[in-house]
Amino acid sequence: LLLAVEDPWARLGSGGATLNALLVAAEHLSARAGCTVVTSDVLREARILILHMGRDFSFDDCGRAFTCLPVEEPGAPAEALVCNLDSLLGTMTHRLCVGSPPGVWVCSTDMLLTVPSAPEIDWDGFQGVRVIAVPGSQAYARNHGVYLADEQGLVRDIIYKGTEAQIQQCAGPDGTVPLVCGVVFFSSDAAEQLLATHVVPPLDACTYMGLDSGAPPIQLSLFFDIVLCMAGGMTEEDFVKGGGDAIVRSARSVLWTALRTFPLSVACIPDASYDYMTTSASDHICSLTLLPGSASHFRFCKTAHSHVDQPWLLEDGSSVTNCLLEGAVRLAAGSVIQHCHLQGPLEIGPGCLLSGLDAGSLPALQGCPLRDIVLQGHHVRLHDLPCRVFTLTGRLDDWQSPADEATYLNVPWAEFFHRTGIREGDLWDAEMPRRSRCLLSARLFPVLHACEALGLEDVLWLLAPAVVAGERLVRWRAAWRMSWQELLPCLDKAAELGARRALFFLQGQHKVRRVLLGRQDSSLLPLTRSAVHEGYHEAVLGTLDEVASTAGDAGIAARALACIADVLGCMAQGEGGLRSGPAANREWASAFRRLESGDIAGGVRELAAERQKWMSRPALLVRAARHYEGAEQILIRQAVMSSCQFVTVGQAELPPLGHWVQVVCPARLDLSGGWSDTPPITYEHGGAVVDVAVLVDGCRPIGARVRRISEPELRLVSLGGTPQSEAAVELVCRELEHLQDYCQPHAPGALLKAAFICTQVVQFPSQKPLRAQLMESFGGGFEVHTWSKLPHGSGLGTSSILAGAVMASLYRAAGKAASTESLIHAVLHLEQRLTTGGGWQDQVGGLVPGIKIGRSKAQLPLRVEVEKIPVPDGFTQTLNDHLLLVYTGKTRLARNLLQDVVRNWYARLPSAVQNADALVSNAEECAQALRQGNLPLIGKCLDRYWQQKKCMAPGCEPLAVGCMMDALRPYVYGQCLAGAGGGGFLYVLTKGPRQKEALQQILTKTEGLGNFSIHSIEVDTGGFSVEVVGCDPK
């Protein structure tokens, strides 16, 4: 329940406001509980926090609570400005209130409060009321309140602006004193008693009920009229007499009777700090430019939620929040800019606070000596007339000191009058007493002019030397001017918050450009969520369209399209179905064709035009998001296909007609680093994967064979598990159109069709019919057989390795030769044409013999480099003895896993970026462990790798697999599901050698595992072979 409670009177005081807020909360809770009258029973289990918004503040039109802090929260779900209210809410909710019993917390918002993460307040046996204090110096205490407490932590007295002797009395052994910091906790018993006083005159006047009943107003302090009555050192006579007038004395008497019996304790929090937000500009600037204590849950930064063209011009010790600084804006240490859109060249000296200035300010500001001044733009509403007013004061000025003793713009008033020609009569009425003439009441600030528009120059001239002042003075005198005191009630807070929001999203659009064009690893998802929530999604979509169409880079454009999909997904607000799904609706086909043809700008324009038709409801938004992800996949494909340049094909002897070319390949185990080879991660972040080529149950389980045949056709045969098996699927292609579904992964023979096209054995598309092509080039057609002993979704890299086997045998059968490096890149190309996506680690694992590490740099074109890992003598046999493969009986569905991983990467979720870093470093560590022959360390890398896979693709550990791993854990150094996870094979590194039977027994006794089987594996040091085996493949 969130309530904004208005005080019934203007000057109610913190005590009266607390009582009124407590009544309103109790009333709402009573109504919720189905009661027709206010009952204090609702407070028994309630946990209530009352935050006092405080008085007006000279340095922020929205008050101290909404003063923005120079803070960014990268982990927040939505990006937003952080104000003092957010900081206090975080401190109260996650630090101070933790462990407290039900009751009412009251907190002021006129201070910056820093508390350690675990303040360790003891709530055992707590009763009554507790005040929170922070340790402070005795010097600071002279202008503030301190608690005098006994050894049991019970408060004896509250001393405000006490003498040196009184303050010394409150000091602890370390010399610090417990400062009053505006936080109080009332147990539910004490809160009930306080609430009961709202019906007793004169306290009824504190509430809106009193106002509605015609009671005369009353002003009460939370600390000196309510809390103080429970202090042990107080007598009733002293307490009641301390009230100013008769009404307050009467109120104090009622409060004494109601609350006196409750013990008042103090909890002084070590390492906490408290900074009251005074009306001193120096103090305010200081609090925004000094780093908060180490106990803070926030870290102050030099630039928060700001776009700065030339950040090197901001000195350390300066602060910029919610700003757009274009061009050369130089900011000295000890100066603060908030909520400004400024254009350079501009120089801001030390000691300045600038706020609320817009891009039109430049002419007035240029050449102006900005040093030790406070310059603010305000939104003001005079009756129904909105206008902008600018105020200018000096950093050292005091608002309320009499003019005879004070300064304006940091010089004595007399000097200011002499320089500008302004007279006292211009600022204050003749009848105003001299002691009342102060900066607060001086009519300095022009608001309206009969015939001219006013601007920033109409206050900045007050800084100018006498020569310039003359011509401005006449115009200044002719304007209707107001004092700060008169302006305060006219401030338009709604317009101010609206302007801050508009500026926040304007700098947010600059951030979108900066992050995407600079290829930064910052997540734009929190900003996207905020933009959708606040209705700025169209502006963000426009910026993303612009970046995608003008970047001239397929990688940047792809990420921009992924961000558009995120905006659409956010707009659906969790409704409309899953984000992953089909993306081949005909309405989007024209835009997709443009992207396929390389016309990124035209494609992005068409996508944006089509998008407008899909914005009306969640289901359409989700489908549009899927199509944007489909478009992004086209651009990823184009980026990856740049690896074609690393495919070199030579000539070889054409085998005789009818002679089979046979290729058999090992499977692969990924020992660490997988997912870092997946586009776009592999070319945006860089990848490294440790792979081992393995025989399963003593043989190479994957193979293909190709022969030329006299008929000009393509016969595509998928055998069962072995080269000797019967045909499971047989397909004959006689026309080119039979090949056109090569890019639909689930179409029959799609992989084999794609292989013919990618090896350029067949030209597709082409004007020349298939039969003519085959007869001309080869004097006939081809027959291809493929097989795999491994079950579908095994996680052992089957489909990529099979693609490699088919291409190797096809090249050879067509009289060509390709190196292993060429095959690795050719398979990457094929899988992009096939539209399955996929990385490079499977073919590296299955086509390169033994143990190796593959790497790709963060760049395009994508090139994979493979380094064999030398292991100690005999270690390969040791690995064979300790590695086992367990078939989990679960098949894996990796398609959506891949979509989710790519989506999280493009959103640059911090977890995805950190995990990509960790995958690569773990791969390098695993390679080192292999070089050393260190089994326990390799096991540690495997376990770490499995955690990283689960982080990359949550949901990839089925329950049965989790049970299996738990059962095996005591017997293994490490274990991991092969490939993306979700099912398939589990590989384990056992502590003892040759543990197949032992593991079989352990798993047989484990419930809920289903059809598992255990297989031996050994490192294949020979690698795949290409053989021309004659006419009889048997």
Side-chain angles (χ1 to χ4, degrees):
L1 183 63
L2 178 65
L3 301 171
V5 183
E6 193 176 11
D7 291 350
W9 318 102
R11 307 189 72 77
L12 187 60
S14 56
T18 300
L19 184 54
N20 182 59
L22 185 57
L23 170 63
V24 173
E27 205 174 347
H28 277 80
L29 291 171
S30 299
R32 248 191 191 185
C35 306
T36 52
V37 293
V38 176
T39 166
S40 60
D41 293 349
V42 293
L43 298 181
R44 293 237 62 83
E45 293 303 317
R47 295 173 185 275
I48 297 171
L49 171 61
I50 296 171
L51 289 157
H52 286 295
M53 289 296 112
R55 293 177 285 276
D56 296 312
F57 188 42
S58 337
F59 308 117
D60 198 299
D61 292 359
C62 298
R64 290 173 171 88
F66 292 99
T67 295
C68 286
L69 304 178
V71 165
E72 288 189 359
E73 294 181 279
E79 194 162 311
L81 298 174
V82 176
C83 59
N84 190 31
L85 182 70
D86 298 308
S87 172
L88 288 167
L89 257 177
T91 297
M92 296 302 295
T93 309
H94 303 298
R95 301 194 171 193
L96 283 179
C97 299
V98 175
S100 66
V104 177
W105 283 89
V106 185
C107 178
S108 152
T109 59
D110 58 8
M111 79 291 195
L112 297 169
L113 183 64
T114 299
V115 172
S117 53
E120 294 173 4
I121 302 171
D122 182 9
W123 294 103
D124 283 352
F126 169 77
Q127 289 178 309
V129 175
R130 176 163 283 167
V131 288
I132 302 298
V134 303
S137 70
Q138 294 183 35
Y140 188 81
R142 280 185 210 128
N143 288 312
H144 295 275
V146 284
Y147 294 112
L148 175 63
D150 63 18
E151 287 172 6
Q152 282 73 49
L154 294 172
V155 176
R156 306 283 304 150
D157 198 359
I158 305 173
I159 294 158
Y160 183 63
K161 291 189 176 180
T163 63
E164 213 165 304
Q166 285 176 310
I167 292 168
Q168 176 66 49
Q169 212 183 337
C170 304
D174 61 355
T176 62
V177 290
L179 297 171
V180 176
C181 74
V183 182
V184 187
F185 176 70
F186 292 86
S187 65
S188 47
D189 288 340
E192 278 186 52
Q193 286 299 317
L194 179 60
L195 177 63
T197 64
H198 86 269
V199 292
V200 184
L203 288 166
D204 58 345
C206 292
T207 69
Y208 81 92
M209 287 185 172
L211 174 70
D212 292 351
S213 309
I218 183 173
Q219 185 174 4
L220 290 179
S221 154
L222 173 63
F223 285 93
F224 294 106
D225 293 319
I226 295 179
V227 174
L228 187 61
C229 74
M230 294 171 275
M234 268 290 138
T235 64
E236 183 173 7
E237 188 182 352
D238 287 347
F239 176 66
V240 173
K241 247 197 311 198
D245 53 32
I247 292 185
V248 175
R249 287 199 291 275
S250 169
R252 281 188 166 206
S253 181
V254 173
L255 289 163
W256 179 276
T257 306
L259 301 174
R260 177 59 189 172
T261 54
F262 290 106
L264 176 65
S265 56
V266 60
C268 191
I269 313 294
D271 299 324
S273 68
Y274 149 91
D275 201 355
Y276 179 71
M277 297 166 81
T278 67
T279 54
S280 151
S282 292
D283 288 353
H284 186 60
I285 291 168
C286 198
S287 66
L288 293 177
T289 50
L290 285 178
L291 295 176
S294 57
S296 175
H297 53 292
F298 286 136
R299 284 276 163 272
F300 279 17
C301 42
K302 194 194 295 183
T303 53
H305 303 293
S306 298
H307 174 78
V308 182
D309 272 356
Q310 300 183 22
W312 55 89
L313 295 180
L314 310 182
E315 290 185 11
D316 289 343
S318 62
S319 168
V320 178
T321 305
N322 195 35
C323 289
L324 188 51
L325 305 185
E326 298 176 298
V329 178
R330 190 177 291 280
L331 184 64
S335 281
V336 173
I337 314 181
Q338 294 198 325
H339 318 298
C340 289
H341 181 179
L342 299 177
Q343 288 167 329
L346 186 60
E347 188 148 342
I348 299 157
C352 292
L353 170 63
L354 272 58
S355 170
L357 308 181
D358 55 34
S361 314
L362 179 64
L365 286 169
Q366 266 186 327
C368 201
L370 300 178
R371 188 186 184 97
D372 292 324
I373 57 146
V374 177
L375 180 59
Q376 295 170 278
H378 309 274
H379 291 268
V380 171
R381 185 168 283 275
L382 305 165
H383 297 295
D384 284 332
L385 176 70
C387 58
R388 294 278 279 143
V389 176
F390 297 96
T391 58
L392 174 69
T393 55
R395 178 173 67 82
L396 305 172
D397 299 345
D398 185 292
W399 286 100
Q400 291 178 302
S401 296
D404 294 343
E405 306 159 14
T407 62
Y408 177 55
L409 297 177
N410 310 311
V411 298
W413 278 98
E415 189 180 317
F416 169 74
F417 291 143
H418 177 73
R419 179 167 54 76
T420 57
I422 292 174
R423 297 188 291 266
E424 281 198 46
D426 293 323
L427 303 181
W428 297 286
D429 295 337
E431 58 272 18
M432 182 177 276
R434 289 206 70 76
R435 299 293 297 171
S436 302
R437 295 181 184 191
C438 61
L439 178 52
L440 192 62
S441 59
R443 291 198 184 102
L444 276 160
F445 310 118
V447 176
L448 292 171
H449 193 283
C451 47
E452 293 183 59
L454 296 172
L456 193 54
E457 61 277 12
D458 293 291
V459 293
L460 282 174
W461 77 274
L462 300 172
L463 288 168
V467 192
V468 185
E471 59 204 61
R472 283 281 171 192
L473 180 58
V474 180
R475 177 181 157 101
W476 179 84
R477 280 209 173 112
W480 178 45
R481 303 181 311 281
M482 293 172 79
S483 67
W484 181 238
Q485 199 165 28
E486 292 163 332
L487 279 169
L488 271 172
C490 307
L491 294 176
D492 188 342
K493 292 182 172 64
E496 176 59 33
L497 288 171
R500 290 180 187 184
R501 179 167 52 198
L503 184 55
F504 175 80
F505 286 109
L506 184 61
Q507 67 80 28
Q509 285 168 262
H510 280 76
K511 175 180 178 171
V512 168
R513 288 189 197 96
R514 185 173 74 240
V515 166
L516 294 180
L517 296 173
R519 295 183 168 88
Q520 293 176 8
D521 282 341
S522 305
S523 178
L524 293 175
L525 198 53
L527 180 63
T528 296
R529 292 193 185 109
S530 298
V532 169
H533 187 266
E534 297 286 349
Y536 278 82
H537 49 273
E538 285 296 347
V540 173
L541 285 170
T543 303
L544 290 167
D545 287 336
E546 176 210 323
V547 170
S549 58
T550 60
D553 178 289
I556 290 172
R559 186 176 171 193
L561 296 184
C563 290
I564 292 175
D566 279 338
V567 175
L568 300 173
C570 285
M571 288 172 70
Q573 297 184 325
E575 296 177 14
L578 295 171
R579 277 288 298 275
S580 297
N585 187 294
R586 288 197 191 116
E587 303 294 321
W588 299 82
S590 169
F592 280 20
R593 278 196 297 274
R594 274 192 184 273
L595 293 175
E596 294 274 15
S597 73
D599 178 8
I600 294 178
V604 170
R605 274 196 303 277
E606 280 199 34
L607 287 170
E610 184 58 36
R611 179 177 78 216
Q612 292 307 318
K613 307 171 196 169
W614 297 67
M615 305 282 273
S616 58
R617 61 179 194 271
L620 291 178
L621 285 162
V622 167
R623 287 165 64 196
R626 290 172 184 167
H627 282 81
Y628 264 94
E629 290 188 345
E632 143 223 314
Q633 285 296 328
I634 292 170
L635 297 181
I636 292 174
R637 283 204 289 281
Q638 290 176 344
V640 175
M641 287 203 282
S642 64
S643 63
C644 275
Q645 59 192 267
F646 305 116
V647 179
T648 49
V649 180
Q651 290 303 310
E653 190 188 341
L654 191 68
L657 194 74
H659 281 234
W660 289 100
V661 175
Q662 181 161 297
V663 173
V664 284
C665 297
R668 74 94 187 90
L669 279 189
D670 53 321
L671 297 190
S672 51
W675 283 125
S676 75
D677 66 305
T678 306
I681 300 171
T682 191
Y683 61 76
E684 289 187 353
H685 174 275
V689 184
V690 174
D691 272 321
V692 186
V694 291
L695 307 178
V696 179
D697 293 330
C699 73
R700 294 181 181 144
I702 300 158
R705 59 175 174 238
V706 180
R707 67 173 173 180
R708 284 190 302 119
I709 53 176
S710 52
E711 295 83 355
E713 63 189 25
L714 306 178
R715 288 184 203 155
L716 314 178
V717 181
S718 175
L719 303 175
T722 69
Q724 288 76 37
S725 307
E726 292 297 309
V729 181
E730 202 163 339
L731 205 66
V732 179
C733 302
R734 296 189 175 93
E735 311 290 341
L736 273 181
E737 49 264 35
H738 294 162
L739 298 179
Q740 66 189 12
D741 59 357
Y742 79 92
C743 55
Q744 293 166 22
H746 301 298
L751 185 145
L752 302 182
K753 294 173 185 178
F756 275 101
I757 293 165
C758 292
T759 52
Q760 297 183 329
V761 169
V762 173
Q763 300 299 319
F764 181 92
S766 170
Q767 297 300 307
K768 192 176 284 189
L770 179 63
R771 301 170 74 87
Q773 286 190 39
L774 291 171
M775 289 309 293
E776 252 176 56
S777 301
F778 305 104
F782 289 90
E783 182 175 348
V784 184
H785 293 184
T786 60
W787 61 90
S788 167
K789 286 186 175 180
L790 302 171
H792 177 69
S794 67
L796 298 180
T798 312
S799 57
S800 302
I801 296 169
L802 187 61
V806 170
M807 292 178 98
S809 53
L810 201 48
Y811 275 132
R812 185 70 189 82
K816 299 176 183 178
S819 66
T820 304
E821 186 194 8
S822 292
L823 281 173
I824 288 166
H825 292 93
V827 173
L828 255 179
H829 177 230
L830 178 141
E831 290 189 325
Q832 296 308 316
R833 296 291 291 268
L834 191 59
T835 71
T836 50
W840 44 257
Q841 62 138 324
D842 296 348
Q843 59 265 36
V844 167
L847 300 179
V848 179
I851 306 166
K852 61 264 159 183
I853 180 166
R855 297 186 184 89
S856 62
K857 293 193 174 84
Q859 64 185 42
L860 287 172
L862 170 57
R863 182 169 199 167
V864 185
E865 295 173 312
V866 184
E867 177 198 330
K868 294 200 173 181
I869 298 172
V871 296
D873 289 347
F875 184 68
T876 302
Q877 185 54 47
T878 306
L879 264 186
N880 296 343
D881 291 341
H882 288 264
L883 270 175
L884 281 172
L885 207 50
V886 183
Y887 184 59
T888 61
K890 301 279 173 196
T891 51
R892 158 182 79 79
L893 303 166
R895 183 100 183 109
N896 288 357
L897 277 186
L898 178 62
Q899 279 179 300
D900 290 345
V901 168
V902 172
R903 185 179 304 128
N904 292 344
W905 171 255
Y906 268 139
R908 288 305 192 276
L909 297 187
S911 58
V913 176
Q914 288 157 13
N915 205 33
D917 292 341
L919 282 164
V920 171
S921 60
N922 191 49
E924 297 294 352
E925 195 173 320
C926 184
Q928 193 52 35
L930 285 159
R931 287 183 198 104
Q932 295 165 3
N934 185 334
L935 283 179
L937 191 52
I938 296 166
K940 204 175 277 184
C941 291
L942 299 188
D943 281 343
R944 197 181 301 137
Y945 181 32
W946 180 233
Q947 296 310 317
Q948 289 163 353
K949 284 188 185 184
K950 289 197 288 185
C951 174
M952 213 54 150
C956 67
E957 182 178 280
L959 278 173
V961 174
C963 293
M964 190 178 276
M965 294 175 96
D966 289 343
L968 296 175
R969 194 159 284 116
Y971 309 97
V972 300
Y973 285 126
Q975 53 187 333
C976 186
L977 273 183
F985 282 97
L986 171 74
Y987 58 91
V988 298
L989 187 67
T990 58
K991 289 178 179 173
R994 298 176 290 284
Q995 293 290 299
K996 187 174 174 182
E997 280 70 31
L999 261 54
Q1000 180 81 38
Q1001 286 175 10
I1002 291 158
L1003 293 179
T1004 305
K1005 291 176 192 162
T1006 308
E1007 286 181 19
L1009 295 190
N1011 296 330
F1012 73 89
S1013 55
I1014 300 183
H1015 305 264
S1016 66
I1017 42 176
E1018 52 198 282
V1019 178
D1020 182 359
T1021 51
F1024 81 103
S1025 57
V1026 182
E1027 296 174 274
V1028 179
V1029 291
C1031 295
D1032 181 8
K1034 306 285 192 288

